[in-house]
C-alpha cells in the first residue's frame, strides 16, 4: 500500500483498530459504522494476529477465515461505501520463529501488516505480555521478570530491533510502548541515560531502514502520551520518514481519538525542519 499517498491526500484515515476476533470491544460492523460517522475515508481492521503461545488477546488461527469474510461483507454494505476498508493484522514478533516475516502471514490475503512487540522472553526464555494495564504489568514483573525493569527495557528494544531487521511488516507499531508501564514501575526511567540510549539506538535503525512509522494516539486521553513520545518525533520528522497517525481503536468512540492533536504536532515539526 502507498501510505504516503493516502496520508497526503486526506487526514481521514485510521490503519490500526481491533475487532471482536481479538480484544476489541465492539463487533466489526459497529466499528465500521463509527468510522463512517467520523468521516473516515480509509479504515483498517488490524486484530492482534494468531501467535504460537497462549494469549487471551490474540485471534486464533481458526478465526482467520471468518475475519477475512467479515471484512468482505462490510465492504459490500452500500451505506458504508464512502470509506475504503482494509483487512490487516497487528502481528506480534516472537523472535525468529514467529513474526511479520513468517511465511504464514505472507500467504494470507492481507492489505498490510503492523509489526509490534507486546511479548518478550524472561530470563528463562519464556515469553510474557508486558503490554496492557499497569496492574497486570506489575504482577508480571514480580512473577516472571524478577522485578528487573532494566532487563525488560533492554529486551523490549532488542526485540524491536530484531523485528525491524527481519522486516515483513508495512507499519512499525508503537515502537516505544514499553515506556508507559516502565515509567509507572520506575518513575523517571525514561529520563535516564540508559533508557534514552536504548531508544536512540532503535531510532538509528529506524532511520536507516526507513519503515512507515506509526504515531499511536491510544493513550493520549488517559495517560497523556503518544507512542512514540513527543521527545522522539523531531528525529523522525527530520529524517523525512512517513508517519501514519493511528488511534489503535478498541472502542467505537475512540476511532478518531487525539488524532488531530498528533497531526498538528507532526505538521509543526515538519515546518520547523523544512
Amino acid at each position: 500500500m502507498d501510505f504516503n499517498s493516502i496520508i497526503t491526500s486526506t487526514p481521514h484515515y485510521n490503519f490500526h483498530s481491533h475487532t471482536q476476533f481479538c480484544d476489541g470491544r465492539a463487533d466489526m460492523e459497529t466499528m465500521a459504522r463509527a468510522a463512517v460517522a467520523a468521516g473516515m475515508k480509509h479504515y483498517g481492521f488490524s486484530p492482534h494476529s494468531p501467535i504460537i503461545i497462549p494469549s487471551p488477546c490474540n485471534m486464533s488461527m481458526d478465526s482467520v477465515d471468518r475475519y477475512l469474510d467479515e471484512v468482505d461483507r462490510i465492504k459490500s454494505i452500500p451505506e458504508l461505501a464512502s470509506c475504503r476498508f482494509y483487512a490487516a493484522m497487528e502481528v506480534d514478533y516472537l523472535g525468529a520463529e514467529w513474526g511479520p516475516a513468517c511465511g504464514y502471514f505472507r500467504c494470507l490475503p492481507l492489505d498490510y501488516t503492523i509489526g509490534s512487540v507486546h511479548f518478550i522472553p524472561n530470563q528463562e526464555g519464556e515469553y510474557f505480555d508486558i503490554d496492557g494495564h499497569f496492574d497486570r504489568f506489575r504482577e508480571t514483573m514480580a512473577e516472571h521478570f524478577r522485578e528487573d525493569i532494566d532487563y525488560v527495557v533492554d529486551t523490549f528494544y532488542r526485540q524491536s530491533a530484531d523485528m525491524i531487521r527481519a522486516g515483513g511488516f508495512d507499519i512499525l507499531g508503537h515502537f516505544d510502548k514499553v515506556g508507559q508501564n516502565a515509567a509507572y514501575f520506575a518513575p523517571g526511567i525514561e529520563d535516564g541515560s540508559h533508557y534514552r540510549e536504548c531508544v536512540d539506538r532503535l531510532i538509528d535503525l529506524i532511520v536507516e531502514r526507513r519503515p512507515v512509522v506509526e504515531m499511536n494516539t491510544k493513550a493520549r486521553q488517559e495517560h497523556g502520551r503518544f507512542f512514540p513520545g513527543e521527545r522522539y518525533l523531531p528525529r523522525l520528522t527530520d529524517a523525512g520518514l512517513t508517519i501514519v497517525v493511528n488511534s489503535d481503536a478498541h472502542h467505537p468512540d475512540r476511532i478518531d481519538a487525539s488524532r488531530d492533536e498528533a497531526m498538528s504536532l507532526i505538521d509543526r515539526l515538519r515546518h520547523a525542519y523544512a
Side-chain angles (χ1 to χ4, degrees):
M1 282 179 59
D2 186 353
F3 292 103
N4 194 60
S5 177
I6 291 172
I7 68 175
T8 54
S9 66
T10 178
H12 303 298
Y13 66 84
N14 185 8
F15 295 114
H16 192 160
S17 71
H18 293 279
T19 78
Q20 73 266 33
F21 291 102
C22 60
D23 60 349
R25 298 296 188 260
D27 64 84
M28 288 169 61
E29 184 172 335
T30 298
M31 297 292 279
R33 291 184 181 278
V36 169
M40 290 292 166
K41 299 303 180 185
H42 299 269
Y43 188 82
F45 297 107
S46 56
H48 291 289
S49 71
I51 54 176
I52 52 177
I53 59 176
S55 169
C57 296
N58 290 69
M59 69 189 305
S60 67
M61 287 188 180
D62 291 342
S63 66
V64 170
D65 286 343
R66 287 186 287 120
Y67 159 64
L68 294 171
D69 288 344
E70 182 65 358
V71 177
D72 287 340
R73 187 186 72 82
I74 287 169
K75 289 178 179 179
S76 72
I77 299 174
E79 57 265 38
L80 301 181
S82 62
C83 181
R84 183 172 180 178
F85 293 96
Y86 301 91
M89 284 185 188
E90 183 177 17
V91 181
D92 279 292
Y93 180 79
L94 300 177
E97 70 279 6
W98 195 257
C102 175
Y104 171 77
F105 297 107
R106 290 178 176 274
C107 291
L108 292 177
L110 299 173
D111 294 304
Y112 63 90
T113 57
I114 301 170
S116 296
V117 173
H118 300 96
F119 300 81
I120 64 170
N122 68 359
Q123 291 89 337
E124 288 72 44
E126 187 176 358
Y127 276 81
F128 292 96
D129 186 358
I130 50 87
D131 195 48
H133 294 294
F134 176 65
D135 287 344
R136 186 178 66 187
F137 178 83
R138 182 166 50 197
E139 293 174 0
T140 300
M141 287 294 296
E143 294 173 5
H144 304 294
F145 288 100
R146 308 175 193 171
E147 299 199 341
D148 187 343
I149 191 63
D150 286 336
Y151 172 85
V152 168
V153 167
D154 287 345
T155 306
F156 175 88
Y157 284 110
R158 184 169 61 251
Q159 285 276 111
S160 300
D162 289 345
M163 180 181 71
I164 292 171
R165 293 187 184 98
F169 58 88
D170 300 287
I171 299 173
L172 175 62
H174 48 57
F175 71 73
D176 66 339
K177 187 78 184 293
V178 72
Q180 179 173 301
N181 279 333
Y184 284 136
F185 187 85
I189 189 172
E190 291 177 287
D191 297 320
S193 60
H194 178 75
Y195 187 94
R196 293 296 296 272
E197 287 169 5
C198 288
V199 180
D200 285 341
R201 284 196 299 270
L202 187 68
I203 294 177
D204 287 342
L205 182 62
I206 291 169
V207 171
E208 175 190 334
R209 298 298 179 99
R210 308 191 67 78
V212 174
V213 175
E214 170 185 80
M215 187 170 184
N216 188 303
T217 66
K218 176 184 177 181
R220 187 62 170 179
Q221 288 179 299
E222 185 176 355
H223 300 279
R225 64 191 302 156
F226 295 119
F227 305 112
E230 295 174 51
R231 67 176 68 181
Y232 309 124
L233 279 177
R235 287 198 62 194
L236 305 176
T237 56
D238 188 38
L241 297 176
T242 297
I243 303 173
V244 296
V245 179
N246 294 326
S247 75
D248 197 350
H250 289 64
H251 301 262
D253 62 352
R254 300 294 180 90
I255 295 289
D256 209 18
S258 301
R259 292 183 64 258
D260 286 346
E261 182 184 356
M263 288 183 175
S264 294
L265 176 60
I266 292 169
D267 285 344
R268 288 198 302 272
L269 288 170
R270 291 206 189 280
H271 285 114
Y273 285 89

